[in-house]
Amino acid sequence: MRAARARADTPLLRNGYALVANSALTSAIGLFYWLVAAREYSAAAVGVGAALISVSSTIANLGHLNLKSALNRFLPRAGGSTTRLVVRSYAIAAVVAALASTAFVIGVRVWSPALGFVSRNPLIAVGFVLATVAGTIFVLED
């Protein structure tokens, strides 16, 4: 009985180990990135980059509207509606993130004049919005 239970738990344990390894690797890559950035760029440039990443991450985390938990809850029982549920969840989260990040870009000169260059350059503005939407999708995927 005990051996059967251990065999049944093995895939679950492997998934857990993979998640831990993924978190450790992501953290190590992030640490390496910031070490290189701090060495190669000025403190002001690193600060502006960190601020933009923080804003984008915050909008992405709020923009998914906790649909990640809804997908975890309802996907196993969705049956034939699985594709529709996933597509609609992703679309809703992407639209919310796009609207929120666009609002940030439009008002950035008011609440953060140091980041005003984002709204002055259309390519940077569009890139910020797209990066934030991609971050939202990543949050749902994760």
Side-chain angles (χ1 to χ4, degrees):
M1 177 75 167
R2 189 174 208 179
R5 186 179 312 144
R7 275 183 272 141
D9 291 342
T10 301
L12 182 60
L13 291 174
R14 272 186 273 153
N15 286 343
Y17 292 142
L19 288 172
V20 170
N22 180 43
S23 293
L25 185 61
T26 301
S27 297
I29 291 170
L31 177 64
F32 179 73
Y33 168 82
W34 287 111
L35 287 173
V36 170
R39 182 160 175 81
E40 296 296 321
Y41 297 99
S42 69
V46 172
V48 167
L52 284 175
I53 290 171
S54 293
V55 169
S56 180
S57 297
T58 300
I59 294 171
N61 282 321
L62 295 174
H64 75 77
L65 302 173
N66 205 27
L67 288 171
K68 179 171 73 170
S69 296
L71 288 172
N72 285 336
R73 165 68 175 94
F74 294 112
L75 269 182
R77 297 174 190 240
S81 301
T82 299
T83 302
R84 187 173 65 223
L85 177 63
V86 170
V87 169
R88 284 184 180 173
S89 297
Y90 280 37
I92 290 168
V95 167
V96 169
L99 291 173
S101 57
T102 300
F104 171 79
V105 168
I106 290 170
V108 71
R109 291 182 193 166
V110 174
W111 44 71
S112 183
L115 300 177
F117 68 92
V118 173
S119 65
R120 286 191 296 271
N121 186 329
L123 188 60
I124 293 175
V126 169
F128 179 81
V129 172
L130 292 176
T132 303
V133 171
T136 303
I137 300 301
F138 178 76
V139 169
L140 287 176
E141 289 287 326
D142 195 29

